[in-house]
Amino acid sequence: MTSTLLVLVAIMATVVWWLLRQTVNVRPWIAGRPAEGVSGDGALPLPPVKVGLGVFLAVATSLFALLISAYFMRMEGADWTTLTVPKGLWLNTAALMLSSVAMQWTRVAARRGRIDGVRIGLIAGGVFTFGFLAGQLWVWRQLNASGYFVAANPANAFFYLLTALHGLHLLGGLWVWGKTTAKAARGAEVGAVRLSVELCTTYWHYLLLVWLILFALLLSTPPRQSSCPPDTFAICGVTK
Amino acid sequence: MSYVAHDESVFVRPAEVEEPELYHPKTFIGKYIWSQDAKVIGVQYSITAIAVGLVALVLSGIMRLQLGFPHTFSFIDPSNYLQFVTMHGMIMVIYLLTALFLGGFGNYLIPLMIGARDMVFPYVNMISYWIYLFAVLLLMASFFVPGGSTGAGWTLYPPQAILEGTPGVHMGIILMLVSLAFFIIGFTMGGLNYVVTVLQARTRGMTLMRLPLTIWGIFMATILALLAFPALFVSAIMMTLDQTLGTSFFVPALVSRGEHLDYSGGSPILFQHLFWFFGHPEVYIVALPAFGIVSDLIAVHARKNIFGYRMMVWAIVAIGGLSFIVWAHHMYVSGMNPYFGFFFAATTLIIAVPTALKVYNWVLTLWRGNIHLTVPMLFAIGFIFTFVNGGLTGLFLGNVPIDLPLSKTMFVVAHFHMVMAVSPILVVFGAIYHWYPKVTGRMLNDSMGKFHFWVTFLGTYAIYFPMHYLGFLGVPRRYYAVENLDFIPQSAQSLNVAITIAALIVGAVQLVFLYNLVWSYFKGKPSGDNPWQATTLEWQTAHTPPTHGNFGSTLPVVYRWAYDYSVPGVEADFIPQNQPPIKRAGSSEEA
Ligand code: HEM
Ligand SMILES: [Cu+2]
């Protein structure tokens, strides 16, 4: 659980640090006029959806960190075998990277107020993302065809689980992407889609990062460290 | 409305908050069913949670009947008993308390108390409720499927949860896991709202340090829940895969009923880590809102400012942070390295420090306060007693050598009911008596309320205090019947009978409470806008119950914290948060 703990400690530390900064040296019992500003003092200077996305990414981070912890702990099991990473994943990774680049390009176009750039960028980003998802499905089919279904061995089970959850997150992003693209295609002003474009871009970068970490995990997993005798993996599990 | 003379020089324009795009319901259905108004959603959450909580209450009555009078009821068999234990525990913890505190009180109170018109994402908020309702229905459906609901215990430990022999091993457990997954998705949608609304939608002048402690409690609990529920989500999915597709995440190679199963190498301990990584914070997910609410109840009904407000805030934050590094104290019996046992015992004891600090501060707030023994105040004081009681046994159980013999006995059941079942429930009742007038415009009946309090408070003591002794004797938990064991004296059964009678009385008295809720809705004394003379913003609305948008045409501006009760030199014994600073001879109140 160490990896989860580290991630959560980082998140909680940020929360606590921020809260303390807001609350230290304040004498709450003293009445006084509010500071100038549009809303509650101490609000972040961001639109609510951006804060919402940030909070959601924290939740998703907790989810993926827990899965990674579980992966490490399960690796201690006596029956662990390494996953032969399908070659197709390299291609998929490239597609996901391109989609992220396209989204970044869209963001720049939106900032500069170029709606045609936004349209092209969105479509390119979507195409690469769908490409990635189709590629993942294809890898699934390949694995399945060569006899590795979910229950074949724990590494495969994790592979399906991790890719499925990552894919579902992307699908959620594609839903917002779809609404934004439809809006842009129907000739909306840049201002009307800028915020959604920014949100999508952040989300795409985040999911790319998650994917790179998961991919690295799948690639780098050594055959099986037998540092822990099988009967004590309970204890080793905590430290891993 | 003005209680004291204004100092015009410090008057501030109302906040220029961007008007949220309030959605305007036209039909009855749009207003009360598919509603995006956080107040309506809060009431929907509360009613659903209380309804499903009643199911869990009935289940507990049936269990008590079995324990008090074994061999009497033919409709309870050992499988049923386990199913009832499981469903009772899970419903109470997740579907009642979590949903009620965060979905119910959170939705109703957050926008009103921070001076916002609504949650920041009303549509997502609405969906959150409907997903919750769906999760509840899935769970209830599991009573009726072939094989019945799961009997794995609310902790759902594999491998037994998905092995033949445990009740509900085919459909019951799957419905439970899927229902939990939906609950978590729905909660996450609501939770994003609560956090972002508190962060971004506070009205002008409502600094973090002027937030009422109720909001601090709900806010921190939501952060905990958002980060901890993924652990339950992951384990629910992985166990579903183990059960349906035969993966071996959690199930080791084993022989069941003489048959070698297809599993190999899975780790039950992995599940325990994931479960308790969620499970311990869950305790604080229901405790922190209770802490916050109780602080406000005490301050309002003792007409005194809360003692050590800043300490209270930091204690909430500290408890939230610490609650993530104590989870393995639930796993001492799983056989762990003594150093880890030591680490988790130490963190467990450390978390008692901020908790105890809060208790001292509540007591010091009451100290020489102008205590009004209203029904909410009674429940708040009842909470302090029960919580201290349950907390003290927690200190014992936190130590490995004491936990080992007591774990899996009735002592643990007594401990956690005191600390995380009865205590939060008492706060729930107090909060309902306190805020019911705002929700309906009418007071709850006082005599019925006092009757409800005394029977519930004394009754729960009668149930759980003796249970500690049963635990000492070694009476195990989750046992259908305990008979012919040399180490358990006959007198234990007499005690069981007494406990059962107390439990049935407490259960029956809840009907008085329900009756009160309904009766007062039609016949209760009209409450006016601010029956408790409280300072916080929800009591300063122009209408009671507040209308859509909460505050009429302009949002309130906040000039002070929520605890200006009995301020020296001021005639009225409370000053609302939206009251501008007062000019006194020579100096103004302003800093
Ligand atoms: C008058 C009210 C209540 C009564 C009489 C009652 C009674 C019981 C009984 C008899 C058991 C089973 C003991 C055993 O055989 O192991 C139990 C278990 C449990 N109860 Fe309650 N209970 C009440 C309220 C609550 C509340 C409000 C909660 C909310 C947190 C709660 C949470 C639990 C949990 C988590 C379990 C453990 C389930 C398991 O072992 O899997 N109970 N209760
Ligand atoms: Cu705990």
Side-chain angles (χ1 to χ4, degrees):
Chain A
M1 299 292 276
T2 319
S3 34
T4 306
L5 258 190
L6 288 180
V7 169
L8 274 195
V9 164
I11 295 176
M12 281 312 285
T14 323
V15 172
V16 170
W17 168 79
W18 186 82
L19 286 179
L20 284 184
R21 236 187 38 156
Q22 300 285 313
T23 57
V24 138
N25 281 332
V26 179
R27 285 174 300 164
W29 51 89
I30 291 182
R33 58 191 296 150
E36 288 299 324
V38 280
S39 61
D41 309 52
L44 304 166
L46 293 172
V49 255
K50 280 205 175 165
V51 182
L53 179 65
V55 178
F56 179 72
L57 293 188
V59 178
T61 306
S62 172
L63 179 81
F64 286 111
L66 282 156
L67 284 163
I68 291 172
S69 280
Y71 187 81
F72 279 132
M73 282 178 72
R74 184 61 181 81
M75 237 164 67
E76 306 293 340
D79 63 333
W80 185 268
T81 47
T82 328
L83 178 83
T84 7
V85 175
K87 294 276 176 297
L89 285 186
W90 288 98
L91 206 64
N92 296 352
T93 307
L96 193 60
M97 282 173 145
L98 285 176
S99 76
S100 221
V101 170
M103 294 305 285
Q104 180 63 28
W105 194 75
T106 318
R107 162 143 73 187
V108 173
R111 288 220 175 121
R112 300 213 177 120
R114 294 187 0 242
I115 187 69
D116 46 337
V118 170
R119 272 188 219 125
I120 296 171
L122 276 175
I123 290 172
V127 167
F128 285 124
T129 313
F130 278 115
F132 170 80
L133 287 176
Q136 296 286 78
L137 281 178
W138 178 66
V139 168
W140 276 22
R141 283 200 47 182
Q142 246 189 345
L143 269 179
N144 204 354
S146 48
Y148 293 110
F149 192 50
V150 221
N153 64 54
N156 269 303
F158 267 105
F159 176 75
Y160 283 104
L161 180 64
L162 293 172
T163 45
L165 281 174
H166 179 262
L168 283 177
H169 278 78
L170 260 185
L171 276 183
L174 279 175
W175 186 59
V176 179
W177 167 88
K179 291 209 303 190
T180 317
T181 311
K183 229 187 202 176
R186 264 181 281 138
E189 300 277 309
V190 174
V193 291
R194 188 177 289 133
L195 187 57
S196 321
V197 167
E198 302 219 344
L199 294 172
C200 283
T201 311
T202 312
Y203 192 59
W204 252 253
H205 292 344
Y206 172 81
L207 284 181
L208 175 64
L209 183 70
V210 169
W211 171 249
L212 290 179
I213 293 172
L214 294 180
F215 192 36
L217 188 75
L218 295 173
L219 279 178
S220 67
T221 317
R224 182 179 154 252
Q225 313 140 322
S226 41
S227 56
C228 289
D231 56 330
T232 54
F233 66 82
I235 301 152
C236 295
V238 180
T239 61
K240 276 291 158 187
Chain B
M1 201 174 0
S2 151
Y3 301 92
V4 271
H6 284 186
D7 173 355
E8 289 303 333
S9 66
V10 295
F11 185 75
V12 172
R13 283 170 293 120
E16 286 161 14
V17 186
E18 248 181 82
E19 287 292 318
E21 277 181 36
L22 280 187
Y23 116 108
H24 290 287
K26 295 188 189 72
T27 59
F28 177 85
I29 291 188
K31 213 162 168 188
Y32 297 106
I33 314 276
W34 300 111
S35 176
Q36 301 186 18
D37 182 337
K39 296 189 293 300
V40 179
I41 297 174
V43 174
Q44 288 173 328
Y45 255 112
S46 305
I47 293 177
T48 315
I50 291 175
V52 72
L54 280 175
V55 175
L57 182 74
V58 171
L59 293 178
S60 75
I62 301 178
M63 292 186 290
R64 279 314 319 176
L65 281 178
Q66 168 61 27
L67 294 178
F69 309 100
H71 309 301
T72 320
F73 302 97
S74 54
F75 69 98
I76 315 173
D77 61 25
S79 303
N80 277 340
Y81 184 80
L82 287 177
Q83 293 173 320
F84 295 160
V85 171
T86 307
M87 294 298 272
H88 161 80
M90 194 63 99
I91 293 177
M92 287 288 193
V93 176
I94 310 260
Y95 297 83
L96 169 68
L97 285 180
T98 308
L100 186 54
F101 271 127
L102 301 180
F105 292 142
N107 265 314
Y108 199 89
L109 293 177
I110 290 174
L112 276 167
M113 286 183 113
I114 67 170
R117 296 213 181 280
D118 206 331
M119 290 286 180
V120 285
F121 314 124
Y123 182 75
V124 181
N125 207 21
M126 174 183 80
I127 303 288
S128 153
Y129 169 72
W130 291 101
I131 296 184
Y132 164 65
L133 183 66
F134 180 63
V136 167
L137 292 178
L138 276 184
L139 192 71
M140 292 299 113
S142 79
F143 280 114
F144 304 103
V145 294
S149 57
T150 173
W154 87 282
T155 43
L156 305 177
Y157 280 4
Q160 52 92 18
I162 56 176
L163 289 189
E164 281 304 334
T166 304
V169 69
H170 296 297
M171 301 185 71
I173 183 75
I174 295 295
L175 279 175
M176 168 68 87
L177 295 170
V178 174
S179 165
L180 283 173
F182 273 105
F183 179 92
I184 294 164
I185 293 171
F187 169 77
T188 304
M189 296 180 154
L192 289 177
N193 258 303
Y194 317 150
V195 169
V196 180
T197 305
V198 172
L199 284 178
Q200 300 300 95
R202 282 168 287 132
T203 188
R204 199 158 183 190
M206 183 61 94
T207 57
L208 283 179
M209 284 312 244
R210 283 181 184 162
L211 286 177
L213 285 167
T214 299
I215 299 299
W216 271 107
I218 294 177
F219 176 62
M220 203 61 204
T222 309
I223 294 180
L224 292 192
L226 284 173
L227 296 176
F229 268 125
L232 185 62
F233 188 74
V234 169
S235 31
I237 293 183
M238 286 164 53
M239 208 198 305
T240 312
L241 291 177
D242 276 6
Q243 207 274 3
T244 53
L245 299 183
T247 53
S248 303
F249 288 114
F250 299 135
V251 187
L254 44 77
V255 180
S256 165
R257 308 182 153 195
E259 226 180 291
H260 281 271
L261 300 186
D262 278 344
Y263 296 105
S264 77
S267 165
I269 299 289
L270 168 59
F271 177 87
Q272 296 193 13
H273 277 301
L274 289 174
F275 183 85
W276 288 112
F277 194 83
F278 142 80
H280 187 82
E282 170 63 31
V283 175
Y284 288 95
I285 293 167
V286 303
L288 291 181
F291 290 173
I293 291 174
V294 114
S295 310
D296 283 348
L297 295 189
I298 287 177
V300 174
H301 296 272
R303 317 306 297 164
K304 226 179 122 188
N305 66 357
I306 191 83
F307 188 91
Y309 173 85
R310 286 185 298 183
M311 259 191 273
M312 294 301 247
V313 171
W314 295 331
I316 287 179
V317 177
I319 293 173
L322 286 172
S323 71
F324 275 110
I325 48 169
V326 300
W327 79 89
H329 63 208
H330 297 273
M331 299 166 57
Y332 291 151
V333 286
S334 71
M336 74 170 60
N337 184 321
Y339 288 109
F340 288 114
F342 177 78
F343 172 80
F344 285 108
T347 50
T348 304
L349 298 187
I350 289 173
I351 209 170
V353 175
T355 314
L357 204 143
K358 297 191 76 76
V359 176
Y360 289 127
N361 284 351
W362 290 321
V363 176
L364 286 169
T365 307
L366 287 171
W367 175 252
R368 313 184 83 182
N370 174 10
I371 299 179
H372 295 27
L373 285 181
T374 54
V375 181
M377 184 56 140
L378 289 175
F379 275 106
I381 297 174
F383 161 83
I384 298 180
F385 277 96
T386 346
F387 185 72
V388 168
N389 199 320
L392 287 177
T393 49
L395 283 180
F396 289 89
L397 290 174
N399 293 283
V400 187
I402 301 178
D403 180 62
L404 290 184
L406 286 177
S407 171
K408 313 282 180 222
T409 70
M410 278 297 182
F411 189 89
V412 169
V413 175
H415 154 70
F416 72 68
H417 274 95
M418 277 284 188
V419 80
M420 78 158 311
V422 178
S423 308
I425 285 282
L426 290 177
V427 177
V428 164
F429 288 139
I432 292 178
Y433 283 97
H434 184 77
W435 277 294
Y436 185 88
K438 187 47 63 176
V439 181
T440 62
R442 291 179 188 270
M443 307 295 283
L444 280 167
N445 180 287
D446 206 49
S447 318
M448 279 196 263
K450 288 197 166 134
F451 176 72
H452 176 217
F453 166 74
W454 283 109
V455 180
T456 306
F457 175 62
L458 297 178
T460 45
Y461 254 87
I463 299 171
Y464 295 110
F465 207 73
M467 213 183 266
H468 292 91
Y469 291 94
L470 290 179
F472 282 142
L473 294 175
V475 176
R477 69 187 274 211
R478 295 178 179 166
Y479 265 45
Y480 169 68
V482 184
E483 284 164 337
N484 306 326
L485 290 176
D486 292 338
F487 59 89
I488 298 174
Q490 271 304 304
S491 53
Q493 189 49 35
S494 327
L495 203 51
N496 260 331
V497 173
I499 294 178
T500 296
I501 291 173
L504 294 179
I505 293 176
V506 170
V509 163
Q510 307 315 310
L511 294 178
V512 176
F513 170 65
L514 288 183
Y515 177 73
N516 197 353
L517 286 183
V518 178
W519 182 85
S520 303
Y521 186 77
F522 300 104
K523 302 256 173 71
K525 195 170 91 205
S527 63
D529 285 332
N530 190 357
W532 310 114
Q533 310 264 293
T535 56
T536 39
L537 294 181
E538 80 274 25
W539 300 106
Q540 324 303 331
T541 54
H543 302 276
T544 301
T547 46
H548 193 54
N550 290 348
F551 291 101
S553 53
T554 46
L555 284 176
V557 178
V558 168
Y559 299 88
R560 55 184 75 244
W561 70 343
Y563 299 98
D564 271 343
Y565 292 102
S566 311
V567 180
V570 178
E571 203 182 323
D573 85 333
F574 76 109
I575 316 176
Q577 283 192 279
N578 56 352
Q579 179 85 43
I582 306 153
K583 194 125 183 166
R584 301 219 190 85
S587 70
S588 101
E589 198 192 11
E590 203 174 1

